[in-house]
Amino acid sequence: MSIMTNNEICVIDDELYCLNFLFDFLEYHQICVKNFENCRDIIPFIEEYELDKINAFIIDLNIPVSDSVLQNSIKNHQENELYEKYPGLFLAQQLRNKGVQGKKIILYSVHQIEDIFTVARDRLGVSFISKGKPKKLKEEICKLCEIS
């Protein structure tokens, strides 16, 4: 087993209990996990942390947005309807604007909507994985963390 020395992943999801399979996998591979359950908590992290130290950002499309400032930011976005409905897209864009490489951002959801794929792939240059495909999610993490 080969592991990068810079092995941190951010998981942004309000239903972390659904990701026990992922946390067990990451723990086995000695990958540090930073958990965030909503946009309000992750935004200060994005502003203050050295984001290049993070191997991957795994973002649920339906991450809660409770702060009115964030909600106003999303409403003022040109893709506002899609970003309001799926705030994970907005968060992915914020990470891209901070210089995070698209290949490090994985959006995931149960939703299979072409508009989401188009924005994720073509506009943001990030990955999209369906929640029902844990093997694919693990494979993507293995590539990003250089796990053999």
Side-chain angles (χ1 to χ4, degrees):
M1 165 175 45
S2 165
I3 300 175
M4 275 181 79
T5 57
N6 186 19
N7 52 359
E8 292 182 86
I9 289 183
C10 279
V11 176
I12 304 104
D13 193 330
D14 61 320
E15 299 175 328
L16 295 173
Y17 61 88
C18 295
L19 298 173
N20 288 335
F21 76 92
L22 179 62
F23 297 129
D24 290 344
F25 172 78
L26 296 172
E27 182 180 336
Y28 175 79
H29 289 289
Q30 301 174 350
I31 297 171
C32 177
V33 179
K34 297 184 182 309
N35 298 322
F36 298 91
E37 294 187 28
N38 57 55
C39 283
R40 183 188 67 234
D41 295 339
I42 185 73
I43 295 297
F45 177 82
I46 291 171
E47 298 298 326
E48 298 168 9
Y49 198 77
E50 292 179 52
L51 299 178
D52 59 333
K53 291 183 176 183
I54 304 294
N55 295 72
F57 294 85
I58 302 168
I59 305 170
D60 178 20
L61 276 181
N62 290 322
I63 192 72
V65 179
S66 56
D67 185 84
S68 62
V69 174
L70 287 173
Q71 289 174 342
N72 288 335
S73 295
I74 291 171
K75 285 181 181 172
N76 293 329
H77 194 276
Q78 73 183 61
E79 298 283 351
N80 64 3
E81 186 177 318
L82 204 55
Y83 280 62
E84 277 184 68
K85 192 169 184 178
Y86 306 108
L89 287 171
F90 177 76
L91 185 54
Q93 183 194 44
Q94 296 303 300
L95 288 166
R96 295 289 285 137
N97 288 346
K98 290 289 183 184
V100 175
Q101 296 174 343
K103 70 179 184 176
K104 289 185 167 190
I105 301 170
I106 303 168
L107 292 169
Y108 72 103
S109 178
V110 296
H111 301 285
Q112 301 288 322
I113 300 169
E114 187 59 36
D115 287 348
I116 295 171
F117 295 130
T118 301
V119 170
R121 181 186 59 235
D122 299 340
R123 269 197 165 202
L124 301 175
V126 303
S127 300
F128 180 89
I129 298 174
S130 296
K131 275 193 174 178
K133 301 192 177 186
K135 183 178 179 184
K136 185 160 175 56
L137 182 58
K138 289 177 183 179
E139 288 170 355
E140 193 70 22
I141 290 168
C142 284
K143 284 191 282 187
L144 292 170
C145 293
E146 297 182 3
I147 299 170
S148 52

